Amino acid sequence: MRNFLSVKDVLPLQTALALAKEVKAKPFADRELGRDKTLLMVFFNSSLRTRLSTQKAALNLGMNVIVLDINQGAWKLETERGVVMDGDKPEHILEAIPVMGCYCDIIGVRAFAGLQDRDYDYREVILNQFIQYSGKPVFSMEGATRHPLQSFADLITIEEYKKTPRPKVLLTWAPHPNALPQAVPNSFAEWMNQTDYEFVITHPEGYELDAEFVQGAVVEYDLEKAYRGADFVYAKNWSAYSGAQYGKVLHDDRRWTVDAQKMALTSNACFMHCLPVRRNMIVTDDVIESPASLVIPEAANRVVSAQTVLREILRGLL
Ligand code: CP
């Protein structure tokens, strides 16, 4: 593997899951693979899980790790070509990226959607600039449109906890006070659509996702129908995708909060969320604290997904 940006980079999924199982069973078996190799993790946005789990994954593989927070201590970067740089940004990303490439063997990048310009966001400008100008393998630590390390960890978790071969997996929109990107639900849908699970998406009208990610999934606007018989309930907020509403919070309808009443409609479903989560907006205290909540094992599997991906990229460097 050279770059890791979406599910397409690890197909077929059964192979990816088998590799993940190997990594989980023997996390220190490949310490020589990463010896004298350096991972650079570049964050344009905040993180807890991605930062720690990816760093842990690299350490398990024997790698050295450098972390750069662009907004804390680095020069402010201009990202557009053709700009007269007479403002507050002293460095251009087109010099900064090849310089970063000189100091490492693999680069992880986190660069969220700005939610101002849908076309710009959905072109994944920053991730693609790293691929084009760094000269090094690049993997996404959440881009503008996808969060593939999260979705891979989610899939590993579902495989570990499923009680039937083809579980019903429900992705539900849930309220949040701020405008959030569509990266996590887009990506989750993209990965679920590669499985043979029964996959259903529910959200209020106006929060339709990009058809490229929804593909053949059932979109059910009736909450009761959506929850009935679900084996997994995956909650996430996202802002509007469509047209002039792009990036907007249309409303924070609390009827969509995941609560015990809705979970009672399911087939004793497990609750999932990528974290961080706003309690009693997205999910009630009792649901997230219940034995059915998988949020901690899901976060733990972020090490497994990151290590599986890093291991394949390192093997590609041999
Ligand atoms: N789920 C996730 O990516 O968490 P962080 O934003 O804390 O990295």
Side-chain angles (χ1 to χ4, degrees), residues 27-52:
F28 307 114
D30 297 288
R31 293 189 69 81
E32 280 304 301
L33 195 59
R35 191 151 70 95
D36 299 333
K37 293 282 188 291
T38 299
L39 169 65
L40 171 62
M41 299 164 64
V42 183
F43 288 92
F44 288 82
N45 309 94
S46 305
S47 169
L48 186 153
R49 277 143 292 273
T50 304
R51 175 186 301 256
L52 297 180

Side-chain angles (χ1 to χ4, degrees), residues 162-182:
K162 73 180 186 186
K163 295 185 199 89
T164 58
R166 284 193 66 237
K168 176 175 174 180
V169 177
L170 174 66
L171 167 62
T172 179
W173 179 93
H176 194 284
N178 304 325
L180 300 188
Q182 297 99 34

Side-chain angles (χ1 to χ4, degrees), residues 28-293:
F28 307 114
D30 297 288
R31 293 189 69 81
E32 280 304 301
L33 195 59
R35 191 151 70 95
D36 299 333
K37 293 282 188 291
T38 299
L39 169 65
L40 171 62
M41 299 164 64
V42 183
F43 288 92
F44 288 82
N45 309 94
S46 305
S47 169
L48 186 153
R49 277 143 292 273
T50 304
R51 175 186 301 256
L52 297 180
S53 62
T54 310
Q55 191 159 349
K56 172 72 174 137
L59 295 173
N60 286 354
L61 290 164
M63 298 184 80
N64 302 307
V65 183
I66 305 172
V67 181
L68 178 66
D69 282 302
I70 291 291
N71 298 317
Q72 285 175 13
W75 302 113
K76 264 193 179 180
L77 293 178
E78 177 57 61
T79 55
E80 294 296 312
R81 277 192 79 243
V83 170
V84 177
M85 290 173 57
D86 58 357
D88 65 340
K89 296 175 180 165
E91 175 143 29
H92 203 286
I93 198 164
L94 295 182
E95 283 81 55
I97 291 173
V99 168
M100 292 185 225
C102 295
Y103 305 146
C104 64
D105 301 282
I106 300 175
I107 307 184
V109 181
R110 168 165 281 201
F112 288 176
L115 298 179
Q116 301 300 314
D117 178 341
R118 188 173 82 176
D119 178 57
Y120 179 87
D121 289 344
Y122 273 65
R123 281 190 290 119
E124 291 284 10
V125 171
I126 292 185
L127 264 174
N128 283 318
Q129 284 177 330
F130 271 87
I131 291 167
Q132 194 173 352
Y133 299 112
S134 71
K136 296 291 154 69
V138 172
F139 66 96
S140 169
M141 299 195 300
E142 188 173 345
T145 61
R146 291 175 175 87
H147 193 358
L149 286 176
Q150 180 65 52
S151 308
F152 191 7
D154 297 334
L155 175 65
I156 294 165
T157 310
I158 292 172
E159 283 293 302
E160 287 174 347
Y161 285 86
K162 73 180 186 186
K163 295 185 199 89
T164 58
R166 284 193 66 237
K168 176 175 174 180
V169 177
L170 174 66
L171 167 62
T172 179
W173 179 93
H176 194 284
N178 304 325
L180 300 188
Q182 297 99 34
V184 169
N186 281 348
S187 199
F188 186 73
E190 189 170 57
W191 285 66
M192 289 301 107
N193 280 323
Q194 289 291 336
T195 70
D196 61 358
Y197 304 162
E198 181 185 350
F199 179 48
V200 177
I201 305 174
T202 188
H203 54 72
E205 288 191 26
Y207 284 103
E208 287 74 17
L209 293 165
D210 183 353
E212 181 192 336
F213 296 97
V214 175
Q215 293 176 18
V218 172
V219 178
E220 177 57 71
Y221 293 95
D222 181 322
L223 265 175
E224 266 198 41
K225 274 194 201 163
Y227 272 77
R228 209 168 283 288
D231 297 294
F232 294 89
V233 172
Y234 191 101
K236 185 73 184 81
N237 172 269
W238 61 87
S239 59
Y241 167 76
S242 300
Q245 307 283 29
Y246 178 70
K248 299 217 166 20
V249 177
L250 306 179
H251 54 76
D252 72 348
D253 190 338
R254 306 293 169 91
R255 282 174 305 171
W256 292 78
T257 299
V258 180
D259 58 17
Q261 262 182 324
K262 286 195 264 315
M263 291 299 280
L265 297 168
T266 69
S267 180
N268 291 317
C270 296
F271 172 78
M272 298 180 72
H273 188 280
C274 62
L275 303 180
V277 70
R278 299 257 181 166
R279 281 179 176 225
N280 304 308
M281 289 287 292
I282 300 275
V283 59
T284 55
D285 289 321
D286 53 344
V287 171
I288 196 166
E289 290 171 5
S290 77
S293 173

